Amino acid sequence: MGAQWGDEGKGKVTDLLAEQADVVVRFQGGNNAGHTIVRGDEVYKFHLVPSGILYPGKLCLIGNGVVVDPRVIIGELDELRRRGVDTNGLRISANAHLIMPYHLLLDHEGETKLGKLQIGTTRRGIGPAYADKAARLGIRVQDLLDEKILKQKIATALEPKRQSLRPYAKDPSLDLHTMTEDYLRYGHRLEPHIADTQRIVWDALDSDGLVVFEGAQGTLLDIDHGTYPFVTSSNPIAGAACVGAGVGPRDIDDVWGIAKAYVTRVGAGPFPTELDGETGERLREAGHEFGTTTGRARRTGWMDLVALRYAARLNGLTGLVITKLDVLTGIDPLYAAVRYLGPEGSRFDEFPYHQSILHKARGDYVELSGWHEDISGARRIEDLPQAARDYLDFIAEHTGVPIVMVSVGPERDQMIWTEAARRLQKVA
Ligand code: GDP
Ligand code: IMO
Ligand code: MG
C-alpha cells in the first residue's frame, strides 16, 4: 500500500515481491497510477498492468475494483509485446468497470469548472467512472462482449449527462455508434484476458500460494480517509484489497506500507510538511520528482510522521518499506514532523479530521543528523552510516511499525532486505 500521497515506489517493491508470488493483483484505481520499474537500461512505466508482468507467464490480475480504460490497457499490452515481454498471464475481471470517452471529457470539464479550486486530477476519467459505478450506470468489462447490451448501456449512461456534455456535442468520440464500434473492437482484442479473477485468487490462496495485492495511489488520497476533496475516487487502503479483489480480511497475512524517506504530493490539497524553498527544489531534482502519469512536478516536503502513523493504523501495517533514502544524502540536518501546529498555538498529535485545520496545519519538527556518504551501494542495514540508521529507527519508533525493506536507488538490486522480508520470500 502507498502510505503517503502516492508515488512511493510501489511498482519497484511489487516487482521484487512478485518474483516469488503466484499471483499479483491490482484492486483499485485505474490509469491515474504510474508505477515505474527499472531493470538496467530498461525502464517500464505501468498504469494498469500489474507490476508482476515482467516475469514470464506470471498471473497478473486486474481486479473488479479497478476502473479500466480499454484503450490504455491495449496500448500497454502492445508496448510490452513490442519489447518482448510475455503478457499471457494478464487477466482482467469481467466485473471491472470501464472508463468511457465521456468520463475523460467530464473529468476535464469538472476540473475546468472548478477553476482555482480544482483538485488537479490526472484527467484520466477516474472520478466520473467511479461515480457511474456508484450510480449503477457503469459499463463493465463483460459488457464489451455483447453488442446489444453494450449499445443500450452506453445510451442509458449518456442520457443523464447530456447537459454537462453539451460543450462536446460535436466530439466524434461521443457518437453512440462510433463508441459502440470502438468498444466492441477493444472487447474482441481483450477477450482472451477477460476472466473470473476472484476465483483465480481463491484457487491460489486455497493451495497456499502467495498472492501480492498491489496498491495504487496512497492512503492520504483515500476518498474516505484522505484529505477530501483533494483525493482520488477509490480507497487506496488495505481494506479495499478485500473488496476490489474479492477476498476476506482473514485471507491477508501481511500489510506493507511503502513510504518515501521524505514526502511528495502531486495535485492540489493540504500538505503540512511542504517545502517551498531551496531544499524542496533539491529533493525534487535529486529524487526526479516529476509525475509518471502526467509529468507534473511533484510537491516535496519533510517526512511527516503524523500522516505516516495515521496510515499505519488505517492499513493495519505490519511492515514499512522506506524508499528513496539515497535522495536525502547530503542534506544535513534533516527534519521529521512529529506533530502538527495549527492556528492560535493549537497542537495535534493525531491526524486531524477537520478540513480547515488540516489546511492550516504545519509540521512541528524534530531535527535529526543527516549523512554525506553515498549509500546507493548499501545492501544490509549495517552498510548504512549511523545517521541513516538512526533516521530509520526514528521512523519505526514513531509509527510503531518495523521497517522490512529500505530502497537506496531505483534499480532492482538497490534494496536492503531485512530478515523479515527474506522470511516472506522463503515462505513462498
Ligand atoms: P509508484 O507510483 O509508487 O510505483 O512510484 P513511481 O514509479 O510513480 O515513482 C517512484 C520513482 O522513484 C520511480 O521513478 C522509481 O524508479 C524511483 N525510485 C524507486 N525507489 C527509489 C529509490 O530508492 N531511490 C531513487 N533514487 N529512486 C527510486
Ligand atoms: P500512483 O499509483 C500520485 C492524485 C492526482 C490528484 C488526485 C485525484 O502512481 O501512486 P484522479 O485522477 O485520481 O482523480 O486525481 O489524486 N493521484 C495520484 N498522485 N500518484 C498516483 O498514483 C496518483 N493517482 C492519482 O494527482 O491530486
Ligand atoms: Mg506513481
Side-chain angles (χ1 to χ4, degrees), residues 7 34-35 292 298:
D7 301 326
H35 297 177
T292 308
R298 294 174 183 152

Side-chain angles (χ1 to χ4, degrees), residues 254-276:
D254 277 290
V255 184
W256 288 5
I258 323 293
K260 278 181 200 177
Y262 49 99
V263 180
T264 64
R265 169 162 209 177
V266 59
F271 185 175
T273 63
E274 183 163 17
L275 285 161
D276 294 319

Side-chain angles (χ1 to χ4, degrees), residues 26 34 81 102 107 159 165 167 194 207 230 247 294 317 352 388 403 418:
R26 274 276 311 264
R81 280 179 201 157
Y102 43 85
D107 197 354
E159 191 48 41
L165 288 172
I194 300 175
S207 52
F230 299 97
V247 299
T294 56
L317 294 186
I403 291 174
T418 65

Side-chain angles (χ1 to χ4, degrees), residues 5-7 10 32-35 119-123 126 216-217 221 231-232 266-267 296:
W5 276 276
D7 301 326
K10 299 176 291 293
N32 46 350
H35 297 177
I119 312 290
T121 74
T122 59
R123 302 197 175 201
I126 307 297
Q217 289 79 53
L221 289 171
V231 293
T232 189
V266 59
R296 289 177 290 175

Side-chain angles (χ1 to χ4, degrees), residues 121-423:
T121 74
T122 59
R123 302 197 175 201
R124 299 301 194 263
I126 307 297
Y130 276 117
D132 266 356
K133 174 179 176 176
R136 288 156 296 185
L137 289 171
I139 297 169
R140 296 188 294 170
V141 167
Q142 57 186 284
D143 300 326
L144 292 173
L145 306 178
D146 186 317
E147 179 169 1
K148 202 162 145 237
I149 290 181
L150 180 65
K151 195 167 203 169
Q152 192 184 7
K153 288 199 174 178
I154 297 178
T156 310
L158 276 172
E159 191 48 41
K161 302 179 179 65
R162 287 211 180 283
Q163 183 72 20
S164 356
L165 288 172
R166 192 156 290 159
Y168 307 99
K170 293 210 167 65
D171 194 307
S173 74
L174 284 186
D175 175 71
L176 179 62
H177 181 72
T178 317
M179 211 187 303
T180 311
E181 288 298 307
D182 286 348
Y183 274 66
L184 280 172
R185 211 159 8 91
Y186 300 149
H188 186 67
R189 176 69 199 281
L190 293 175
E191 193 167 0
H193 298 282
I194 300 175
D196 183 354
T197 51
Q198 59 191 22
R199 197 162 292 281
I200 299 173
V201 177
W202 297 340
D203 287 347
L205 290 171
D206 293 345
S207 52
D208 281 333
L210 177 69
V211 179
V212 175
F213 298 89
E214 177 184 18
Q217 289 79 53
T219 301
L220 279 308
L221 289 171
D222 185 280
I223 190 164
D224 286 271
H225 306 281
T227 51
Y228 193 89
F230 299 97
V231 293
T232 189
S233 298
S234 67
N235 293 106
I237 57 169
C242 295
V243 180
V247 299
R250 295 197 309 158
D251 285 316
I252 297 173
D253 302 310
D254 277 290
V255 184
W256 288 5
I258 323 293
K260 278 181 200 177
Y262 49 99
V263 180
T264 64
R265 169 162 209 177
V266 59
F271 185 175
T273 63
E274 183 163 17
L275 285 161
D276 294 319
E278 212 175 287
T279 311
E281 190 54 42
R282 176 167 176 175
L283 286 173
R284 188 172 307 112
E285 288 305 317
H288 304 289
E289 298 296 356
F290 297 90
T292 308
T293 299
T294 56
R296 289 177 290 175
R298 294 174 183 152
R299 299 156 66 193
T300 52
W302 294 122
M303 174 52 97
D304 180 344
L305 292 172
V306 185
L308 194 57
R309 220 166 31 225
Y310 179 65
R313 187 64 192 88
L314 265 172
N315 288 290
L317 294 186
T318 60
L320 262 177
V321 179
I322 300 296
T323 62
K324 304 190 105 165
L325 190 65
D326 54 300
V327 174
L328 295 184
T329 299
I331 304 179
D332 191 10
L334 295 165
Y335 293 90
V338 290
R339 69 179 66 80
Y340 294 152
L341 301 178
E344 291 156 25
S346 51
R347 291 150 57 102
F348 299 90
D349 290 320
E350 305 289 342
F351 198 76
Y353 70 84
H354 206 295
Q355 195 184 345
S356 29
I357 289 175
L358 201 54
H359 276 267
K360 295 198 185 99
R362 290 291 162 263
D364 185 7
Y365 297 100
V366 166
E367 185 179 301
L368 297 150
S369 300
W371 58 91
H372 297 268
E373 300 88 331
D374 177 2
I375 61 167
S376 60
R379 297 296 175 265
R380 299 172 311 156
I381 292 285
E382 304 82 72
D383 297 338
L384 293 172
Q386 191 57 46
R389 293 168 67 173
D390 291 347
Y391 186 75
L392 294 172
D393 287 345
F394 193 77
I395 294 171
E397 250 166 58
H398 271 261
T399 51
V401 183
I403 291 174
V404 288
M405 285 171 123
V406 181
S407 181
V408 292
E411 282 280 351
R412 262 174 82 72
D413 66 334
Q414 289 182 304
M415 183 64 94
I416 296 173
W417 292 72
T418 65
E419 258 322 298
R422 285 197 197 288
R423 217 175 311 126

